[in-house]
Amino acid sequence: MKKFELGDSYEMKKFVSEEDVLLFAKLSGDFNPIHIDEEKAKNSIFKTRIVHGLLLASYISTILGMYMPGQGTIYKQQDLQFLKPVKINTEIRVLVKVSEIINQEKNIYKLETSVINELDEVAVLGYAVIKYMGEEVFLCS
Amino acid sequence: MKKFELGDSYEMKKFVSEEDVLLFAKLSGDFNPIHIDEEKAKNSIFKTRIVHGLLLASYISTILGMYMPGQGTIYKQQDLQFLKPVKINTEIRVLVKVSEIINQEKNIYKLETSVINELDEVAVLGYAVIKYMGEEVFLCS
């Protein structure tokens, strides 16, 4: 099974559209005007609508479950600090990097996870803990 | 402005449907078979498809942004431990409870956040840190 080393990383770019934000509002039930009402949001401390923090976090989970490590990842923990806003209709970068090998034999890793906004600021910073089982996850019949 | 006390809490029930999970897969890009392929998932360690952890977390954020404290909440931090799976097409309970008053004057609180699955197990456990600004958030023009 594939093993990971300190510093192994993956980066993904994603344009977060107004449609994405409205869909996430509908799905989660979070219709806070800061996300969906431009008239109200333009008078807010953020001056415009911002993307839901958990929608941003979902892209981290997508990297973990699809690309690095990929299928067979067991998601154990995710810590998130929301540091800066991400405006709607901007492109973000999502980065995942192995920051600690917790147990090499059992393939348990700590990964630094970050979302960078269009101003090149770290908007969301945190870490994930995952166990990578590869195809073994699907061999339990 | 409204202040909160230790132990103040909010609970929400939510049925998480197959449609919700497919929509979240499309939105996040996380098409990991453990969430969307029942044939493959039934041979997995979970025996069936499970809900994305970050979709579960999004309901926590919905309580914070919509109900308690509600509009005017600044989301500063969210830590999540994924302890047990949540199966698709089951009802969950999402709980938020004030566990620490970090700064009463500035309205900064730590809240225990949990998602309970249909077996009454704590599926997701963690805490949020929020600053509640009420309508002041929208008075910056």
Side-chain angles (χ1 to χ4, degrees):
Chain A
M1 194 189 312
K2 191 173 176 187
K3 300 277 175 182
F4 293 88
E5 302 296 334
L6 271 183
D8 281 354
S9 65
Y10 189 93
E11 180 176 331
M12 181 175 89
K13 287 183 183 177
K14 168 78 183 165
F15 182 83
V16 187
S17 70
E18 181 171 17
E19 190 189 351
D20 291 334
V21 169
L22 295 178
L23 207 57
F24 186 79
K26 193 177 160 195
L27 189 56
S28 65
D30 186 350
F31 293 95
N32 191 307
I34 205 73
H35 306 302
I36 59 161
D37 183 342
E38 185 59 28
E39 270 308 297
K40 202 160 183 191
K42 75 180 179 190
N43 294 324
S44 77
I45 56 172
F46 301 119
K47 308 294 182 199
T48 186
R49 283 174 299 165
I50 62 171
V51 179
H52 300 76
L54 269 291
L55 175 55
L56 298 171
S58 80
Y59 305 131
I60 296 168
S61 141
T62 296
I63 292 181
L64 302 177
M66 293 291 285
Y67 307 112
M68 185 186 144
Q71 290 183 25
T73 295
I74 306 295
Y75 208 178
K76 299 176 84 70
Q77 197 173 330
Q78 179 70 59
D79 288 5
L80 303 159
Q81 289 181 69
F82 303 109
L83 302 175
K84 295 282 182 184
V86 171
K87 294 175 184 170
I88 290 175
N89 289 326
T90 62
E91 187 179 74
I92 57 166
R93 288 184 294 134
V94 188
L95 289 102
V96 166
K97 186 167 75 172
V98 177
S99 60
E100 186 184 337
I101 296 168
I102 295 175
N103 186 321
Q104 182 102 53
E105 192 187 353
K106 292 185 175 172
N107 251 350
I108 301 175
Y109 303 95
K110 185 171 178 176
L111 303 104
E112 187 182 290
T113 58
S114 45
V115 176
I116 316 291
N117 69 16
E118 86 285 7
L119 300 174
D120 220 27
E121 300 165 327
V122 179
V124 185
L125 182 64
Y127 66 86
V129 176
I130 59 107
K131 177 176 165 68
Y132 182 56
M133 296 182 67
E135 277 299 308
E136 279 182 25
V137 162
F138 299 109
L139 298 174
C140 298
S141 61
Chain B
M1 193 188 315
K2 191 173 176 188
K3 301 277 174 182
F4 293 89
E5 302 296 333
L6 272 183
D8 282 354
S9 65
Y10 189 94
E11 180 176 331
M12 180 175 88
K13 287 183 182 178
K14 168 78 184 166
F15 182 83
V16 187
S17 70
E18 181 170 19
E19 190 188 351
D20 291 333
V21 169
L22 295 178
L23 207 57
F24 186 79
K26 194 178 160 196
L27 189 56
S28 65
D30 185 351
F31 293 95
N32 190 307
I34 205 74
H35 306 302
I36 60 162
D37 182 342
E38 185 60 29
E39 270 308 295
K40 204 160 181 191
K42 75 181 181 189
N43 294 323
S44 76
I45 56 171
F46 302 117
K47 308 294 183 201
T48 185
R49 283 174 299 164
I50 62 170
V51 179
H52 300 78
L54 269 291
L55 176 55
L56 298 172
S58 79
Y59 305 131
I60 296 168
S61 142
T62 295
I63 292 181
L64 301 177
M66 293 290 286
Y67 307 112
M68 184 188 145
Q71 291 183 26
T73 295
I74 306 295
Y75 208 179
K76 300 176 83 70
Q77 198 173 329
Q78 179 69 59
D79 288 5
L80 303 159
Q81 290 181 67
F82 304 108
L83 302 175
K84 295 283 182 184
V86 171
K87 294 175 185 171
I88 290 174
N89 290 325
T90 62
E91 188 179 72
I92 57 166
R93 286 184 295 135
V94 188
L95 289 103
V96 166
K97 186 168 74 173
V98 177
S99 60
E100 186 185 337
I101 296 168
I102 295 175
N103 187 320
Q104 182 103 50
E105 193 187 352
K106 293 186 175 171
N107 251 350
I108 302 175
Y109 303 95
K110 185 170 177 176
L111 303 104
E112 188 184 288
T113 57
S114 45
V115 176
I116 316 290
N117 69 16
E118 87 285 6
L119 300 175
D120 220 26
E121 300 165 328
V122 179
V124 184
L125 181 64
Y127 66 87
V129 176
I130 59 108
K131 178 176 165 67
Y132 181 56
M133 297 182 66
E135 278 300 309
E136 280 182 25
V137 162
F138 299 109
L139 298 174
C140 297
S141 61

